[in-house]
Amino acid sequence: MRQIHKKSFFTPEQVELPAANKFTAQVNTRRILFTLEFKNLFLSLYEQGHTSIEIFMECGYNTMPAQLSVSAMQRELIYLRQQVEFLKKLIELDNDKKPRT
């Protein structure tokens, strides 16, 4: 039977840097999970025209590997946009159900 190896993206030394950041919820050699505070801040700054790299640097992630800021945050941004659209629809539905006076 063939053994599948999980690829590590970060070395243990690289994990230490984001682990010390207040915007990091969890980190290991394969991924970094960000706090809700960071996600909200990132979305707000991104909508104001800041680039992903600028936001990372402003939030203290300037020493992290470049691969993280591009692919992972693009996926996160898409997910956050979907959440915002879903919440907008829920609010709209809720407003439609309320009796108008």
Side-chain angles (χ1 to χ4, degrees):
M1 184 178 272
R2 202 171 112 199
Q3 186 177 3
I4 299 173
H5 297 280
K6 290 186 178 181
K7 182 180 177 186
S8 292
F9 298 109
F10 307 110
T11 65
E13 294 80 25
Q14 289 172 321
V15 169
E16 291 175 16
L17 295 170
N21 191 301
K22 71 176 186 172
F23 293 118
T24 303
Q26 189 177 19
V27 63
N28 60 37
T29 58
R30 292 196 40 85
R31 66 182 183 171
I32 297 173
L33 299 177
F34 300 98
T35 63
L36 182 58
E37 179 185 4
F38 176 77
K39 293 175 185 180
N40 290 332
L41 178 62
F42 184 93
L43 184 60
S44 174
L45 292 173
Y46 188 82
E47 288 176 342
Q48 292 174 23
H50 295 262
T51 66
S52 298
I53 293 172
E54 290 172 344
I55 297 168
F56 271 100
M57 292 184 78
E58 288 176 28
C59 293
Y61 289 106
N62 52 338
T63 56
M64 291 177 56
Q67 67 193 30
L68 171 72
S69 62
V70 178
S71 62
M73 284 312 295
Q74 285 176 340
R75 287 190 305 272
E76 188 68 32
L77 181 60
I78 290 168
Y79 178 74
L80 287 171
R81 284 182 175 165
Q82 290 172 346
Q83 285 182 324
V84 168
E85 289 304 314
F86 180 72
L87 291 172
K88 285 179 183 177
K89 289 177 183 179
L90 284 176
I91 291 169
E92 186 178 308
L93 286 172
D94 188 49
N95 288 338
D96 289 344
K97 289 182 180 180
K98 291 181 180 177
R100 301 188 192 260
T101 54

